[in-house]
Amino acid sequence: QQDKLQKEQLLQEGNRKKAQLDQQKKEKNQIVNKLKKQESQIQTEISKKIKRQKAVNAAIDKIIKEENAKSNASKKSTTSGSKITTGSSSGTETTTSTPAHLQLTPAESALANDFESNKGKLPWPVEKGSIVTPFGPYTHAEVNSVRIPNDGVNIVTGKGSSVRAVFKGTVSGIATIGESKVVIIRHGNYLSVYSNLGEVYVQKGSSVTTKQTIGKVFTESGEATAELHFEIRKESTPLNPASWISR
């Protein structure tokens, strides 16, 4: 009877441990599945951000090329893309071309100088907000091995917040990227870029004034906040917006 009781106790203990192991295995599988789901969501988020930055870059490059070509077509070849002719020992001529830049009118040069003189004093593109992603490549918070390019700053703001021009200028272009839009405003040879807009209130070629509302930030369904991607460029070269907007 004593041996039988001991065996029953050992069997019960074995069953209890087995149940514990089964529960631990179940919990482990749940954690693994959750991590896989989170990993998939993170990879989707990373891919989305990289794709958006590439699309913004492509839209800006297209506008710059179109404006340069238009400007160069109306000016002499010596100012749009100079050709240097040199003689060789064989008596033939060698021609090399230098890359063309946007040729500014006196008014555009004055606007660019005015914009430049306001470095550090420009208003924010939203009335209330804070920078959540700084300028330059950054490491993803949950995946240390991944570096995400960022040619501007990401500003978190309230749902449906108005987006405003940081300086007077002309709307160079409007592009649609996925569900949202990008507005590019030219200030001489400087550009301010406003990405992730849900609504746009200006048109290409429109003149805008400082702090003029140009649209509303796009807000994901069910979210209480929204994020604006903001850039400043000198022609195609990205600059750190945090150095240009007022503290």
Side-chain angles (χ1 to χ4, degrees):
Q1 289 294 329
Q2 186 175 355
D3 288 344
K4 183 179 179 182
L5 180 61
Q6 288 177 343
K7 287 179 181 180
E8 288 178 350
Q9 290 175 342
L10 289 172
L11 182 62
Q12 289 175 0
E13 181 65 17
N15 289 337
R16 185 179 65 80
K17 289 183 177 180
K18 183 177 181 300
Q20 285 180 341
L21 289 172
D22 289 343
Q23 181 62 27
Q24 289 174 355
K25 185 178 179 180
K26 183 180 178 181
E27 290 173 355
K28 180 182 177 181
N29 289 336
Q30 288 175 342
I31 292 171
V32 169
N33 291 334
K34 184 179 179 180
L35 289 173
K36 284 182 178 179
K37 186 177 180 181
Q38 287 178 341
E39 182 182 6
S40 177
Q41 291 173 341
I42 290 169
Q43 290 297 336
T44 300
E45 175 193 340
I46 291 171
S47 298
K48 185 178 178 181
K49 287 185 176 181
I50 293 175
K51 184 179 179 181
R52 173 173 290 280
Q53 185 63 65
K54 287 181 177 179
V56 170
N57 290 347
I60 293 170
D61 289 343
K62 181 181 178 183
I63 286 170
I64 290 173
K65 286 178 182 178
E66 288 176 350
E67 291 187 342
N68 285 2
K70 184 178 178 181
S71 175
N72 296 339
S74 64
K75 295 178 176 67
K76 295 179 180 180
S77 60
T78 54
T79 59
S80 63
S82 59
K83 291 184 177 180
I84 305 170
T85 304
T86 58
S88 66
S89 58
S90 61
T92 59
E93 292 183 341
T94 304
T95 302
T96 58
S97 297
T98 57
H101 294 281
L102 180 67
Q103 300 298 315
L104 302 179
T105 64
E108 289 170 336
S109 294
L111 179 61
N113 291 335
D114 195 9
F115 183 88
E116 194 170 283
S117 67
N118 278 275
K119 183 176 181 179
K121 297 181 287 185
L122 298 177
W124 279 57
V126 289
E127 191 173 345
K128 293 181 180 180
S130 58
I131 295 175
V132 290
T133 307
F135 174 78
Y138 63 96
T139 302
H140 192 276
E142 296 170 315
V143 186
N144 293 333
S145 60
V146 175
R147 298 277 287 172
I148 302 175
N150 192 21
D151 289 338
V153 294
N154 293 355
I155 301 173
V156 67
T157 185
K159 178 179 179 180
S161 292
S162 295
V163 178
R164 57 191 189 179
V166 296
F167 202 72
K168 59 187 176 182
T170 304
V171 178
S172 287
I174 299 171
T176 301
I177 301 175
E179 299 179 85
S180 62
K181 294 178 175 60
V182 179
V183 174
I184 302 169
I185 300 176
R186 180 173 287 283
H187 320 275
N189 59 345
Y190 285 93
L191 299 170
S192 57
V193 183
Y194 312 79
S195 178
N196 201 35
L197 273 64
E199 297 179 30
V200 173
Y201 304 147
V202 291
Q203 296 178 339
K204 182 178 180 179
S206 300
S207 294
V208 297
T209 57
T210 303
K211 291 188 178 182
Q212 178 180 330
T213 300
I214 60 172
K216 281 189 177 182
V217 68
F218 175 77
T219 307
E220 296 280 356
S221 178
E223 293 293 330
T225 59
E227 201 170 288
L228 174 73
H229 178 74
F230 175 64
E231 296 184 17
I232 291 179
R233 299 193 178 208
K234 188 171 185 178
E235 292 203 14
S236 59
T237 303
L239 305 173
N240 186 355
S243 300
W244 288 79
I245 55 179
S246 58
R247 273 58 176 184

